[in-house]
Amino acid sequence: MRWTLPGRLAVTTVALLTVISTGCAPSDDSSGSGGVVELTFWGDWSGEGEQQFRTMTDAFNKTHPGIRVEYVVQEDMLTKFLTASTSGQAPDVMFWDRWRTATYAPKNVLEPLDERMKKDGVERERFYGEAVRELTHDGKVYGLPLTVDARALFYNKAHLKEAGVEPPRTWAELEQAAIKLTKREGGKLVRAGLSMDDAGLFSMYLRQAGGQMVTDDCSRTTFNSPQGAQTLDLWSRMIKGGVYQTGFETGLGEGTDAFATGKVSMIFTGPWNITTYRKYGKDLDFGIVPPPAGPQGDRASLMGGFGLVIPRAAKQKDAAWEFVKWWTAEKDNALKWARTSLNIPGNVAAAKDPFFTDDPFWKPILDTLEYAKVRPACAGYPPMEDDALIPNLQLFLGGKATAQQALAKAQEQGDRVLTQNNLD
Amino acid sequence: MTRTLATGPDIRGPAAGPAPHRRPPERSALGRHQARAGMLFTAPAMVLFLVFTVLPVAGAFGLSFTAYDVLTPPSWAGLANYGRLLEDDTFLTTLKNILYYCAMFVPAMIAISLVLALALSRRLPGMAIFRTVYFIPVVTSPVAAATVWAWMLNSHYGPVNEILGYFGIPGPAWVGDGSTAMVSIVIVTLWQGVGSNMLIYLAGLQNVPAHLYEAAALDGAGRWRSFLHITWPSLRTTTFFVTTLSLIGAFQLFDQAYVMTKGGPGNTTLTPVYQIYETGFNRLQMGYASAQAFTLFIIIVAVTVINMRVNRDQVPE
C-alpha cells in the first residue's frame, strides 16, 4: 500500500484534471446534421415549467423541419449567461425576467429586434404596451413578452361573508374590511384581515394615491410626498386597528401559506397563486378583485412577467427570431402556451380569449392589467427599492420609525443609490 | 476512510500543534520517503487551492480598481470603488451587523461546543449516538435547515413560540422583528455549526494527559479547579483553532440571512457577503463588489491577527 498510494494519487489527479479541462472546452457544433439548424434555448424553469417549455419546443420542432430547438434548464441562468456571453457560448434564445432588461440592454449583450419586427410586420401593439416598454431601452426593443401578471386583491369568500363585508373597491372600504376581518384572541392575532408582509407593495399604493416613485428620468426619488405620507397613513391606521403584526407570515411557504390556511383574509398577490390556491379546492373558497382605488379614485397595480430575448452572441439569430416570433407574436401559439402553463400571455389577442375572459379568477387580473404598470425601467431602480426604501418601510411597519422618518431616510438613501447605480 | 463519527476523538484539529513529547524528525530513508509521499498527497489540494483560490483572490484585488460588469472589458477606475465604499451607508450597516453577529456567535460557539465535548467525553454507553446526533446538523443543507427554522420561529404559529407559550412566556417575533432577527440567525447557525467544533474539542480533550488530573486530584482539586487549571489551558491551541475558524466563518455569513430574512427587517440582518453578491451578480458591478470583498478580506485578516495576539499573550501554565 505504502508504495503504490502516492502513485495512484498522482494518476487520479491527472485523470481528474483531464476531465475538468475537457469538460470546460468548447464542444459545440450548432448547425448539425442535414442542414437542420440547432437552437439552444435557456431557461431557469425546471419541473412542471420544464414540461411546459418542452410542449412548446416540441410543437415548434414539428412544424419547422429546418429548425430544432432544445430546451436546456440553467439553474443559475444569469451567472451562466455572464460567463457564456464573454466566451462565445451564449444560447440562441433566453427566457427573460423582463425587469432585468434595464441592467443588461445597455451592456450590448441583447439583440435589438426592431428591424426584424418591421420586416415581418410584427407590431408592438400586438403585446401589452407596458410589457414591451419594460423590454425597451433607448427606443429599441430587446425582446418580446411571453407572460404578463399583475397584483390584485385575493379574498377569502367565507371570511367576508361571515364578517358581512363586500370585496373592497376603495381604500376606505379596504381599511374597514381589513379591520372587521381581523380576529384576535386574548390580544393575540389569530387572523389578519389583510396581509401587510410585503413592504414592496408601497409602489402600488403610492400610485393609487396618485404619487410617483421616481422622476421620469429616474434620477431622483419622488415618494417622499403627500401621497407617500397618505400611503403610510393608511398602513398605520390599519396597524393601529390591529390588522397586522410583523412576523405573522415569516417562514410560511407553499403548503403553510397564510392565505391558503385561512390565517389571512385578504392579500395582494399575483396570478401565479391562482393555480396554487385552486389546489386547496373546497377548503379555500376565494375570489379576486382588482386593487381598490385610491382616495382620488386612481387605480394602479404592479405588472411583472417574462419575455424571450436573443443574446447578441447567439449564433443562429434568424432561426432564433423565427422561434421567438412563432411563440409570442402568433396568437394561436401564445394561447397554447398560456393554456399549458396557466399564465396570461403577453400577446393581447391571446389574452382576450374566452379561456381567460370567462373565468372568474382570470377576469379580474385581466381587468387589472388594463392599468397595471411595470417598475421604472432604469438600472438604479431595483437597488433603490432593495437598499433604501424597503428597509426603511420595514422599520416603520415594525414600529421603529415614524412615517416621516422612514420616508425622509428612504429618500436620502434612495437618491444616493439611484445616482450610484445609474452610472453605468 | 476507516474513520467514523464514533471514533471522533482521534480526529485532531489541524492547528492543535505539535504534541509536547514528539521526537525530532529523523532523516532516515523512510522519513524522506514519507516526506515525498506527504508532498504528493498535498499536491492536488495545493494545486486546486492555487488555481481556484489564490488566483481568483489576486484577480479580485486587481478588479477592485476597475469598473467591470463581466460583459464588457474592465476599465481602470483607480480608487473610485474604495472612495464609494466610504460613503456607502448600506455596506457600513452590513459591517456593523456582522460585528454584532460575531460578538454573539463566537463566544457562544466556544462555550457550547466545549460544554458538549466535556459532557460527551465521558466513557458512558450511548455516547457515540449523542455525538452523532449533535453532528447531524453539520451535514444538513444550510438552506433547507434555514427554511425549516424560519417556519419554526414564526411568531404566531411556530413550534418554538408554541412551546414558550406553554410556559407562559410570550415569544418574540424572532426573524420578523429587527431586534431579534440577528439573534434568530445566531441560534440557527449555532445549531448548525456546534457539532464540528464539538468534535475538535473532543479531539483536544484526548490530548490532555491523564496524569495531570490524577496529580490535581491528589492535591485536592475539585472538578472546577481541574477544569480551570488543567483542561482550559491545555485546550489553548484547540480554542485558538475553533475561535479562528468560527470568526472567519461568521464574517462570511450568507445562507441563513438570505433564506430566513433576506437581510431584513430594516437591513438588520444584511451581511457583507449578501451585499457583495447583490452588487456583483444582480447589479453587475463586479469592480465595486471586488472592492467590498477585499475590504472584508482585510477586516477578517485583521481580526484573525488580533485573535492570534490575544491567544499568544495568554501565559501558558
Side-chain angles (χ1 to χ4, degrees):
Chain A
M1 271 306 257
R2 282 221 157 174
W3 289 99
T4 54
L5 239 175
R8 205 186 280 176
L9 213 73
V11 171
T12 320
T13 314
V14 171
L16 238 155
L17 286 173
T18 319
V19 172
I20 291 169
S21 54
T22 49
C24 295
S27 57
D28 72 299
D29 41 306
S30 298
S31 41
S33 48
V36 174
V37 177
E38 307 258 349
L39 286 187
T40 312
F41 166 40
W42 279 10
D44 49 10
W45 280 10
S46 51
E48 270 178 39
E50 183 180 350
Q51 292 309 315
Q52 293 156 7
F53 281 158
R54 287 202 193 283
T55 306
M56 296 313 290
T57 54
D58 287 350
F60 179 82
N61 290 339
K62 226 171 264 169
T63 49
H64 295 73
I67 309 174
R68 235 195 76 79
V69 186
E70 173 80 39
Y71 177 60
V72 183
V73 184
Q74 296 288 2
E75 296 283 348
D76 200 0
M77 183 172 73
L78 280 166
T79 317
K80 196 84 188 280
F81 175 60
L82 288 179
T83 45
S85 12
T86 44
S87 65
Q89 303 273 305
D92 299 296
V93 179
M94 213 170 19
F95 181 60
W96 189 250
D97 210 346
R98 282 199 301 264
W99 67 270
R100 293 191 186 273
T101 311
T103 309
Y104 282 78
K107 311 285 183 194
N108 278 325
V109 286
L110 303 178
E111 180 75 6
L113 302 176
D114 306 80
E115 273 170 33
R116 290 176 202 273
M117 286 169 73
K118 207 177 195 178
K119 205 177 108 210
D120 291 359
V122 177
E123 315 82 13
R124 292 187 187 192
E125 289 68 35
R126 282 198 209 180
F127 307 94
Y128 277 95
E130 279 289 299
V132 176
R133 194 164 76 84
E134 203 171 17
L135 286 162
T136 307
H137 176 77
D138 260 353
K140 285 188 187 140
V141 178
Y142 287 90
L144 292 182
L146 195 58
T147 72
V148 285
D149 61 55
R151 313 285 175 122
L153 187 67
F154 287 48
Y155 64 93
N156 188 311
K157 282 187 178 166
H159 292 185
L160 265 73
K161 202 171 174 190
E162 177 200 274
V165 288
E166 290 293 308
R169 291 152 189 276
T170 62
W171 273 21
E173 287 178 20
L174 178 75
E175 183 186 340
Q176 282 162 14
I179 291 172
K180 269 192 194 160
L181 286 163
T182 302
K183 270 192 180 169
R184 283 179 179 259
E185 275 168 21
K188 192 187 162 190
L189 185 64
V190 288
R191 190 174 88 191
L194 172 69
S195 167
M196 296 177 69
D197 189 45
D198 185 0
L201 290 174
F202 176 83
S203 62
M204 180 185 80
Y205 283 91
L206 181 77
R207 290 213 356 269
Q208 288 164 358
Q212 213 182 339
M213 288 295 286
V214 292
T215 52
D216 286 336
D217 63 353
C218 209
S219 62
R220 275 181 304 108
T221 64
T222 50
F223 52 72
N224 188 7
S225 58
Q227 291 86 356
Q230 252 178 329
T231 300
L232 293 197
D233 198 41
L234 171 72
W235 287 10
S236 135
R237 285 200 305 274
M238 289 197 284
I239 285 175
K240 283 205 186 96
V243 170
Y244 202 73
Q245 247 171 342
T246 50
F248 190 67
E249 285 167 84
T250 44
L252 302 180
E254 194 180 324
T256 50
D257 182 281
F259 181 73
T261 50
K263 288 166 189 146
V264 158
S265 300
M266 300 188 290
I267 185 169
F268 283 107
T269 186
W272 56 86
N273 265 328
I274 293 178
T275 318
T276 314
Y277 291 153
R278 267 180 166 170
K279 278 186 206 150
Y280 288 82
K282 275 191 197 147
D283 295 333
L284 178 64
D285 187 11
F286 72 102
I288 305 173
V289 285
Q296 277 83 46
D298 291 273
R299 318 218 64 152
S301 178
L302 203 62
M303 190 197 278
F306 297 91
L308 291 178
V309 295
I310 302 174
R312 218 174 230 176
K315 292 193 190 71
Q316 305 290 350
K317 291 196 189 101
D318 292 333
W321 165 247
E322 273 308 309
F323 178 59
V324 170
K325 187 179 69 175
W326 175 87
W327 191 350
T328 59
E330 291 179 21
K331 188 201 154 196
D332 291 346
N333 305 319
L335 184 60
K336 179 188 171 75
W337 152 252
R339 298 175 70 138
T340 309
S341 69
L342 296 177
N343 277 294
I344 300 176
N347 184 309
V348 180
K352 295 277 155 68
D353 188 84
F355 178 79
F356 291 110
T357 51
D358 289 355
D359 185 298
F361 293 106
W362 293 108
K363 181 70 169 65
I365 306 275
L366 281 182
D367 294 345
T368 308
L369 279 169
E370 293 299 318
Y371 49 79
K373 280 202 158 53
V374 296
R375 280 167 270 211
C378 60
Y381 185 81
M384 186 279 290
E385 273 205 335
D386 290 348
D387 282 8
L389 180 63
I390 292 175
N392 282 303
L393 292 177
Q394 285 173 338
L395 291 178
F396 166 75
L397 285 171
K400 298 202 160 57
T402 67
Q404 271 179 340
Q405 285 168 340
L407 287 175
K409 199 83 197 272
Q411 179 193 11
E412 181 206 323
Q413 294 173 345
D415 285 344
R416 194 160 51 228
V417 175
L418 277 180
T419 347
Q420 285 174 341
N421 289 278
N422 276 337
L423 272 180
D424 35 351
Chain B
M1 286 306 295
T2 51
R3 272 186 185 147
T4 62
L5 291 182
T7 58
D10 291 342
I11 300 168
R12 305 188 60 216
H21 304 297
R22 185 175 281 176
R23 273 167 289 147
E26 290 166 36
R27 289 270 159 222
S28 65
L30 182 67
R32 275 202 305 280
H33 172 68
Q34 282 183 336
R36 215 169 42 232
M39 299 267 274
L40 260 171
F41 268 111
T42 49
M46 288 311 286
V47 169
L48 291 177
F49 178 71
L50 262 173
V51 174
F52 291 106
T53 306
V54 177
L55 281 181
V57 168
F61 181 64
L63 284 179
S64 71
F65 299 102
T66 66
Y68 180 49
D69 58 18
V70 188
L71 300 165
T72 46
S75 63
W76 186 254
L79 289 170
N81 288 328
Y82 289 95
R84 183 177 159 190
L85 259 184
L86 295 177
E87 291 176 7
D88 190 337
D89 286 349
T90 313
F91 194 67
L92 193 69
T93 308
T94 65
L95 291 179
K96 279 187 208 154
N97 288 345
I98 206 66
L99 286 175
Y100 177 53
Y101 169 79
C102 287
M104 289 190 284
F105 174 80
V106 176
M109 174 58 98
I110 303 290
I112 297 172
S113 50
L114 179 57
V115 166
L116 281 179
L118 285 170
L120 297 182
S121 66
R122 287 178 296 172
R123 306 212 172 273
L124 293 174
M127 281 301 153
I129 294 170
F130 277 103
R131 282 173 202 165
T132 314
V133 167
Y134 287 119
F135 196 77
I136 283 175
V138 178
V139 292
T140 311
S141 148
V143 172
T147 309
V148 174
W149 269 103
W151 166 73
M152 298 221 297
L153 290 171
N154 174 276
S155 57
H156 288 73
Y157 299 97
V160 173
N161 277 4
E162 296 269 324
I163 292 168
L164 288 176
Y166 274 121
F167 298 99
I169 306 166
W174 297 111
V175 288
D177 186 331
S179 45
T180 47
M182 196 55 109
V183 178
S184 316
I185 292 183
V186 170
I187 293 171
V188 176
T189 44
L190 276 177
W191 170 85
Q192 185 117 40
V194 95
S196 54
N197 289 324
M198 172 197 79
L199 276 195
I200 296 167
Y201 265 125
L202 273 169
L205 285 172
Q206 305 293 307
N207 287 334
V208 183
H211 64 80
L212 290 180
Y213 289 112
E214 285 164 23
L218 283 177
D219 287 344
R223 273 193 173 184
W224 174 242
R225 289 188 74 95
S226 318
F227 171 79
L228 211 61
H229 295 288
I230 301 172
T231 316
W232 181 245
S234 310
L235 289 175
R236 210 163 48 88
T237 44
T238 315
T239 304
F240 171 64
F241 176 66
V242 171
T243 319
T244 309
L245 278 200
S246 301
L247 267 175
I248 294 173
F251 269 102
Q252 298 178 23
L253 178 67
F254 175 76
D255 298 1
Q256 286 81 4
Y258 185 75
V259 175
M260 292 172 64
T261 60
K262 291 263 171 219
N267 278 349
T268 46
T269 57
L270 197 65
T271 72
V273 176
Y274 194 152
Q275 191 63 10
I276 291 165
Y277 169 81
E278 278 287 319
T279 312
F281 288 98
N282 276 336
R283 300 172 191 171
L284 301 186
Q285 300 170 10
M286 290 291 172
Y288 187 46
S290 299
Q292 291 176 323
F294 223 81
T295 309
L296 179 66
F297 172 72
I298 300 289
I299 293 172
I300 293 179
V301 170
V303 171
T304 311
V305 168
I306 293 170
N307 180 33
M308 262 163 85
R309 287 278 155 79
V310 168
N311 267 271
R312 199 186 295 156
D313 291 347
Q314 280 181 3
V315 188
E317 295 288 305

